[in-house]
Amino acid sequence: MTDSQISRSGPSVVENHLAEPGQGPTLPVEPEESGRWSAALREIVAGNIVLSVLSVVLALVAGAVLIAATNDDVQESAGYFFARPGDMVMAILSSVGGAYSALFQGAVYNFRRPDFFDAIRPLTDTLTYATPLIAGGLGVALAFRVGLFNIGGRGQMLVAAAAAGWIAFSWDLPFGVHMLVALIAGVTAGAIWGGVVGLLKARTGAHEVIVTIMLNYVAFYLISYLLRTPVLGTPGSNNPKSPASKETAVFFELLGSKYNLHFGFIIVIAATVFVWWLLNRSSMGFRFRAVGENPAAARVAGINVNRVYVAAMLFSGGLLGLAGVNQVLGTTTSGFGAGVDAGIGFDAITVALLGRSRPWGVFVAGILFGAFKAGGFSMQAAEGVPIDIVVVVQSLIVLFIAAPPLVRAIFRIPAPLERTARPRKKAVAQ
Amino acid sequence: MTDTAQRTPAAPHKDINTGPVQRSWKAPIALGVFALLAVILFMGFGRAGESTLTLSARADSIQLVPLVLPTLATCYIIAAVLVAIAVAATLMVRRGTRVPLWLTTVFSILLLLGFLVWASAGANLPIPGLLAGSLGLAVPLIFGALGGVISERVGVVNIAIEGQLLAGAFSSALVASVTGSPIIGLVAAMVSGVLVSFVLAAFAIKYVVDQVIVGVVLNVLVSGLTGFLFSQLLSPNSDALNSPPRFNEIAIPLLSEIPIIGHVFFRQTLIVYLMYLAVACVYVGLFHTKWGLRLRAVGEHPQAADTVGINVGSTRFWNVSLAGAIAGLGGAFFTLGSVGAFGKDMTAGAGFIALAAVIFGRWDPIRATLAALLFGFASNLQGVLNIIGSPVPSEFMLMLPYLVTIFAVAGLVGKSRPPAASGKPYIKS
């Protein structure tokens, strides 16, 4: 994991795996399992985990500066700073401490509740918020690994939510089957919406960034229109909102009615395993990564690059579709509007970046962002700090993690011995 | 290397076509599809009555008589011509010649005219108002697209246009409110656009972080930062901090008296005139000056540029900063030119549309400007048609520009070729 490895095609694991045979002479041939463990160990020793933690700390410090600087008490006490500097220090500590403890209590564990099962509730909220973020992040990450940039999460989520929502409120099916049918319909709709992009890129060379952006708007207006008509809208209501999903289709609660965590989380874990298997263990995944690394070389090697683009966008759209399904069957089951995507299509990009386009990385990043989201709401409610601060902290984390030299320079950590960095950089320059 | 626009696929294709037959059927297919749509719309859903197209605004000194057209007959004629053009294009491709650009242009204009006539049956469509509104919506897109063109031509992918626009809008509103001078607000917008660019350039060039990542993250960062400051500072004190003075319209003598377009183009605010200047400067600068040659060399082949003594890193850094300044100006238009006060996430994806204009315009400033104008026109058309009561649901009208873009990108533009080294960091070996 070197600095320059966070490339668009998604980094490291692929490269390490692909590169290892090349380094064969110097490395003893290890069975794969232990190779992975030693790689993990090396990663920790080389300070990557430490750097990630430090990035989070740095971002939180930057957030603290913002919170303190815009706090009324702090500003007031700054007026007489030289008379009583202690006041300002106290004001800063109370504003920042209050905000971050509210964030923690809203995201992980609420000390104020007497009962453990009440107190742990925020953690389950975090997982609930994380669910669509992970699904969407996986979709974006998968496209990244093939060298495609899928900004079309919003559109893919919307059509998926509409398809799943339509089945959920208008069909009558037994419990379980109903959910499954709605899930499949939604994922399929998302996959088709994404697959169109891959098809257009493969057949006509249309740039996927343009097409996905445009399809976002098309989906938005299409769904807005349908919500005004009886197809998706509630009959006899002027509000452009669909009827509520039927009980038989809704994701059931995992931990009882006290917690919001629902079956979607299990599906998302399964999706993460699937994407991991797809990318790292299947021959299609190998083609995906090969195209992501170098489409020209992949073509020479006999890989049908166009077919890979279509397949990758189908999978990517399907995963974002899963995020959309999760919205209508898990989060807003009381009927959805045209804003049902809740910006997750764009958040997913940051999640994928933070997870470095690796399935389990995305999983962890999704939970972290879910925690920020859950905590952000309670921070806004308790301390009056706008939830936008969470967005700032999140984006700073990604920025810092993407630039290890910067973090090292700030904390004066010596750079690790350059292992693979130099040859790689040369290879890029050539 | 005098004109890079000439080096886009058009030129080499001709040579290939003289050899073994390699015809591109994309253009006739696209034209055919649109002609078919026109026939279905104009004839299948023909509308009776007369369409009135008003050509003069009330303030114009030269008043033109409104154009009154019989809707059905006009639509039939236009549909027939469109079909004829599509057939002609098919024949041309069969004979092995390319469909000339002017034919596509005529086709598009006729299609548009036919649609306007069809939609305004029994109503009055004010053309100058339509154009003026389109220009207003297009101005930030054009600034953003120019910033994108410069940045990508020098080899740094600029997804952060949205962030630059938003930062420009925010700081221009804040600074202009505090100082009371829109000019200083304009400068502040440029400065904040440059600051966003500094981060982009520093991470992309110094730390060799993937440029798409930095761009996306910067958008989020600026959105969060401006949203946070807006909620914490601007909205509680909106009188003092968020009520900037706006630019006044300046009418250019003589030019503003030209019928139809004079009022639209030459009775505008300072920012719009700056936009004309920026388009001209970027075009001339890119293709006819030493600066532009170096810039493009760095973006196309940094190693070659380095070999002849151009400092790749600093060329990229300063040109990306310049791009940020231009995009920041576009942000100022949101607050000082049109709306007035800053609102949370007020750019609403304009930066992404500008990015689409860059790619649609094939990284050429003039074409990108035209693409941005097209987007502005399409979004405004929806608003105008909504007011005069068009038969199409407004959502479909709103969808139209995006669908047209997809069709155009897939069918007419084809494989767009970015500057060769765009998005690739350069590390001196």
Side-chain angles (χ1 to χ4, degrees):
Chain A
M1 293 298 303
T2 61
D3 351 340
S4 58
Q5 274 184 339
I6 308 147
S7 59
R8 178 195 297 215
S9 51
S12 63
V13 167
V14 195
E15 284 158 12
N16 289 345
H17 272 248
L18 291 178
E20 249 151 29
Q23 300 168 346
T26 55
L27 284 174
V29 182
E30 285 171 307
E32 226 175 53
E33 282 302 305
S34 73
R36 199 181 325 134
W37 284 115
S38 74
L41 203 66
R42 252 185 296 153
E43 208 167 90
I44 297 170
V45 174
N48 265 305
I49 305 271
V50 176
L51 281 182
S52 299
V53 172
L54 289 179
S55 301
V56 175
V57 171
L58 265 185
L60 285 174
V61 169
V65 171
L66 269 180
I67 293 172
T70 54
N71 185 282
D72 286 339
D73 294 342
V74 175
Q75 285 171 353
E76 209 174 286
S77 58
Y80 54 87
F81 175 74
F82 291 105
R84 281 161 63 191
D87 274 14
M88 187 169 162
V89 173
M90 283 313 291
I92 290 175
L93 284 181
S94 88
S95 67
V96 173
Y100 280 160
S101 82
L103 185 75
F104 181 80
Q105 289 182 16
V108 185
Y109 192 87
N110 194 344
F111 307 108
R112 289 188 199 141
R113 303 263 171 78
D115 185 8
F116 173 78
F117 294 103
D118 270 339
I120 202 70
R121 208 190 131 158
L123 190 63
T124 65
D125 285 343
T126 291
L127 296 183
T128 314
Y129 279 115
T131 307
L133 288 172
I134 296 169
L138 286 172
V140 176
L142 193 127
F144 271 141
R145 292 287 283 267
V146 189
L148 297 172
F149 186 22
N150 182 4
I151 325 190
R154 188 181 179 206
Q156 289 145 20
M157 281 186 68
L158 279 173
V159 291
W166 179 69
I167 287 183
F169 71 71
S170 68
W171 288 24
D172 280 308
L173 288 171
F175 181 81
V177 180
H178 198 177
M179 186 190 83
L180 209 61
V181 172
L183 176 69
I184 290 169
V187 171
T188 313
I192 292 172
W193 207 253
V196 167
V197 179
L199 197 67
L200 282 176
K201 186 178 175 77
R203 301 290 301 210
T204 68
H207 201 293
E208 81 274 7
V209 169
I210 297 194
V211 180
T212 46
I213 293 174
M214 297 297 142
L215 280 178
N216 280 346
Y217 291 98
V218 173
F220 176 77
Y221 291 122
L222 188 67
I223 304 301
S224 308
Y225 171 71
L226 290 177
L227 282 168
R228 281 203 301 133
T229 65
V231 180
L232 283 184
T234 316
S237 158
N238 278 333
N239 201 1
K241 201 179 154 202
S242 80
S245 305
K246 286 189 176 139
E247 275 301 308
T248 46
V250 169
F251 286 153
F252 54 85
E253 276 137 353
L254 284 181
L255 305 171
S257 57
K258 206 164 156 190
Y259 304 101
N260 288 326
L261 192 63
H262 52 73
F263 181 61
F265 188 64
I266 303 289
I267 300 180
V268 160
I269 294 177
T272 314
V273 174
F274 170 72
V275 172
W276 171 81
W277 174 83
L278 179 75
L279 281 176
N280 296 338
R281 287 293 177 275
S282 73
S283 68
M284 184 186 263
F286 177 77
R287 288 197 291 274
F288 279 11
R289 288 177 297 154
V291 171
E293 292 294 313
N294 188 339
R299 187 173 284 125
V300 171
I303 294 172
N304 186 337
V305 176
N306 284 340
R307 200 176 290 167
V308 166
Y309 282 150
V310 178
M313 282 310 294
L314 277 172
F315 278 112
S316 178
L319 285 163
L320 279 146
L322 178 60
V325 172
N326 186 81
Q327 289 297 96
V328 287
L329 300 187
T331 314
T332 49
T333 51
S334 56
F336 61 90
V340 68
D341 61 298
I344 290 167
F346 286 100
D347 289 347
I349 300 173
T350 348
V351 172
L353 295 179
L354 182 59
R356 300 192 172 183
S357 303
R358 290 180 297 177
W360 290 106
V362 169
F363 189 81
V364 175
I367 289 179
L368 182 67
F369 276 29
F372 274 122
K373 220 170 192 176
F377 285 118
S378 73
M379 182 174 74
Q380 187 165 18
E383 300 288 316
V385 179
I387 194 162
D388 306 83
I389 191 74
V390 165
V391 179
V392 175
V393 172
Q394 283 175 346
S395 49
L396 284 176
I397 292 176
V398 178
L399 213 50
F400 286 133
I401 283 188
L406 180 66
V407 180
R408 278 200 209 99
I410 291 173
F411 288 100
R412 297 178 193 282
I413 299 172
L417 290 173
E418 302 253 347
R419 292 156 298 141
T420 50
R422 285 222 175 271
R424 251 190 67 80
K425 282 183 180 176
K426 267 182 194 157
V428 170
Q430 282 156 10
Chain B
M1 286 282 276
T2 48
D3 189 356
T4 322
Q6 293 299 317
R7 294 195 288 110
T8 43
H13 258 251
K14 245 176 200 159
D15 306 334
I16 295 166
N17 279 350
T18 54
V21 184
Q22 192 196 348
R23 294 166 186 152
S24 169
W25 287 96
K26 278 185 201 160
I29 290 173
L31 294 184
V33 168
F34 280 118
L36 189 68
L37 284 178
V39 169
I40 294 172
L41 191 66
F42 296 166
M43 298 187 175
F45 299 88
R47 306 178 77 204
E50 287 184 330
S51 307
T52 313
L53 305 181
T54 314
L55 300 178
S56 299
R58 215 166 281 144
D60 286 2
S61 50
I62 306 168
Q63 288 287 334
L64 296 177
V65 187
L67 200 59
V68 182
L69 298 166
T71 307
L72 206 56
T74 316
C75 284
Y76 271 50
I77 295 170
I78 288 179
V81 177
L82 292 180
V83 172
I85 292 180
V87 170
T90 316
L91 290 177
M92 279 181 189
V93 173
R94 276 185 86 172
R95 264 194 288 130
T97 46
R98 284 172 56 83
V99 181
L101 184 65
W102 64 265
L103 199 62
T104 328
T105 316
V106 169
F107 184 92
S108 321
I109 293 174
L110 277 177
L111 184 64
L112 185 67
L113 186 68
F115 182 76
L116 287 180
V117 169
W118 178 82
S120 62
N124 190 340
L125 188 70
I127 297 291
L130 181 64
L131 294 179
S134 313
L135 185 68
L137 288 173
V139 168
L141 300 181
I142 294 174
F143 277 118
L146 288 178
V149 167
I150 293 181
S151 182
E152 302 223 354
R153 282 275 181 175
V154 83
V156 176
V157 171
N158 192 355
I159 307 235
I161 301 175
E162 173 83 1
Q164 290 160 344
L165 287 176
L166 198 57
F170 176 82
S171 50
S172 63
L174 179 65
V175 173
S177 305
V178 172
T179 60
S181 152
I183 301 280
I184 299 178
L186 211 56
V187 174
M190 292 174 76
V191 170
S192 61
V194 169
L195 286 179
V196 176
S197 270
F198 273 169
V199 181
L200 173 67
F203 275 82
I205 298 163
K206 183 160 194 302
Y207 296 114
V208 210
V209 181
D210 186 280
Q211 299 163 3
V212 174
I213 295 183
V214 190
V216 171
V217 173
L218 274 178
N219 288 338
V220 181
L221 179 64
V222 174
S223 161
L225 211 54
T226 53
F228 178 78
L229 293 174
F230 174 73
S231 318
Q232 283 288 69
L233 297 178
L234 261 55
S235 53
N237 318 306
S238 76
D239 282 346
L241 298 179
N242 196 14
S243 42
R246 279 196 275 168
F247 279 110
N248 295 322
E249 289 187 349
I250 308 165
I252 295 183
L254 286 180
L255 284 177
S256 64
E257 300 301 326
I258 302 172
I260 305 181
I261 58 163
H263 186 85
V264 176
F265 288 104
F266 301 107
R267 198 169 294 169
Q268 287 288 2
T269 59
L270 178 68
I271 305 184
V272 178
Y273 296 126
L274 277 177
M275 184 268 285
Y276 301 151
L277 194 67
V279 173
C281 286
V282 171
Y283 174 73
V284 174
L286 269 185
F287 299 118
H288 300 286
T289 65
K290 195 167 87 180
W291 164 71
L293 185 62
R294 291 188 166 184
L295 185 157
R296 285 179 294 138
V298 167
E300 291 286 346
H301 201 319
Q303 209 161 22
D306 196 5
T307 315
V308 296
I310 300 171
N311 186 336
V312 174
S314 80
T315 308
R316 285 190 168 173
F317 190 90
W318 291 113
N319 281 304
V320 171
S321 307
L322 174 70
I326 294 176
L329 276 179
F333 182 78
F334 282 101
T335 46
L336 306 182
S338 61
V339 182
F342 178 81
K344 209 166 166 175
D345 283 330
M346 73 184 307
T347 50
F352 290 107
I353 302 287
L355 184 67
V358 171
I359 303 175
F360 198 5
R362 293 194 215 165
W363 292 270
D364 176 279
I366 301 288
R367 287 188 212 196
T369 304
L370 292 176
L373 281 171
L374 177 71
F375 289 142
F377 178 78
S379 347
N380 192 49
L381 182 63
Q382 173 272 330
V384 172
L385 289 186
N386 223 1
I387 294 166
I388 66 170
S390 103
V392 192
S394 65
E395 284 89 356
F396 286 96
M397 285 307 305
L398 282 163
M399 208 188 281
L400 199 66
Y402 308 112
L403 279 176
V404 168
T405 310
I406 293 175
F407 264 105
V409 169
L412 298 175
V413 179
K415 200 172 176 70
S416 42
R417 197 191 65 90
S422 182
K424 299 197 180 83
Y426 177 69
I427 297 137
K428 208 167 174 171
S429 46

